[in-house]
Amino acid sequence: MDLTSKSPMKKRSLVFFLVPHFTMLPFSAAVETLRIANRMLGYSAYTWRLCSVDGEKVYSSSGIGLEVNSSLTDERRYLSGENRPNMVIVCSGIYVEEFRNKSVNAWLRETYNRGIAVGSLCTGAHVLAQAGLLNGKRCAIHWENLPGFAEAFPQAEVYADLYEVDSNLYTCAGGTASLDMMLNLIGQDFGENLVNRVCEQQLTDRVRNPHDRQRLPLRARLGVQNAKVLSIIELMENNLSEPLSLVEIADDAGLSRRQIERLFRQEMGRSPARYYLEIRLDRARHLLVQSSMPVVEVAVACGFVSASHFSKCYREVYNRSPQQERAERKLNTNTSRTGVVV
């Protein structure tokens, strides 16, 4: 069967913009998916180049450095010439909230305004949001970074989906989700037959829906089988900034307070109040590590009435204060910038 029959000799050029500490897995999955598509087609339908701010090598979070083909200055010049790309994808990873560059923001806005698709892998939605491209747009980001992102960019409609496509904006949660987003792109260009061929080569048994879960279902993640307990935990996770009372939870679950207490002791080994506190503190920890929100704002975002109460609870669970957590995170960030020690 002719794989190019839908759009003969169609070509798409991409720029992968590498942010320091980018995650290698989603980047590799994206590039390899495009490479395999080229192999199945028999010609280079997809071409790509790598870009960094200054045109210098960029190190991933695993310490592997990649040489790039262009700088930001080059790419801005290419926008009006024969090297103009069809798509720009921002690749980032840990410490993305530390990356702030007005020139990158201006380039991304200009790229998008010229009708070029703009996308992101892993935490790259953070960079797109900084550029103002995600206001009122649906987007996806890695679940670990979602709480901090939602607080930092309330105008963006962020979801814990594998990937989102909205108005020529492509965002994905990272990991193997970049494979799914690239398969979606290939399907748009060449149809389902090529997508299936690429999947066979990658030993991928199916193309996942963009709205599939990023994380394991609660049942698998927690090892809990009781449906009532799972529904209560889901209710708790959806109400972290304004915690529900046990009476409200009981009413929603159709159980008595005593029944809920007994179920949580049996299934979770602690009271529902304690479990609720722990998941609120877990979200607080993510915000402290991944955002620059003041501690008092983190406390409010996680349902604590005062910073002092928040600090007391945090210390009891993590054996350190929120301030110490943030200081340690800054130390780790600065250490990682000096390079990888082997």
Side-chain angles (χ1 to χ4, degrees), residues 3 36 40 192-202:
L3 292 173
I36 293 171
M40 296 297 99
E192 184 178 356
N193 187 46
L194 179 57
V195 170
N196 291 337
R197 292 287 301 279
V198 173
C199 285
E200 288 178 343
Q201 288 293 314
Q202 293 177 318

Side-chain angles (χ1 to χ4, degrees), residues 280 283-285 287-288 291-304 310 322 326:
R280 288 161 56 208
R283 174 167 182 171
R285 187 168 183 269
L287 291 175
L288 289 169
S291 78
S292 56
M293 290 173 62
V295 171
V296 66
E297 291 185 16
V298 171
V300 171
C302 298
F304 292 90
F310 168 55
R326 177 155 284 170

Side-chain angles (χ1 to χ4, degrees), residues 11 19 52 97 110 125 163 179 181 207 220 224 236 300 325:
K11 293 188 176 183
V19 174
S52 68
E97 69 280 352
E110 182 180 4
Y163 67 91
L179 183 155
M181 190 169 79
V207 179
V224 174
M236 290 176 174
V300 171
E325 186 77 74

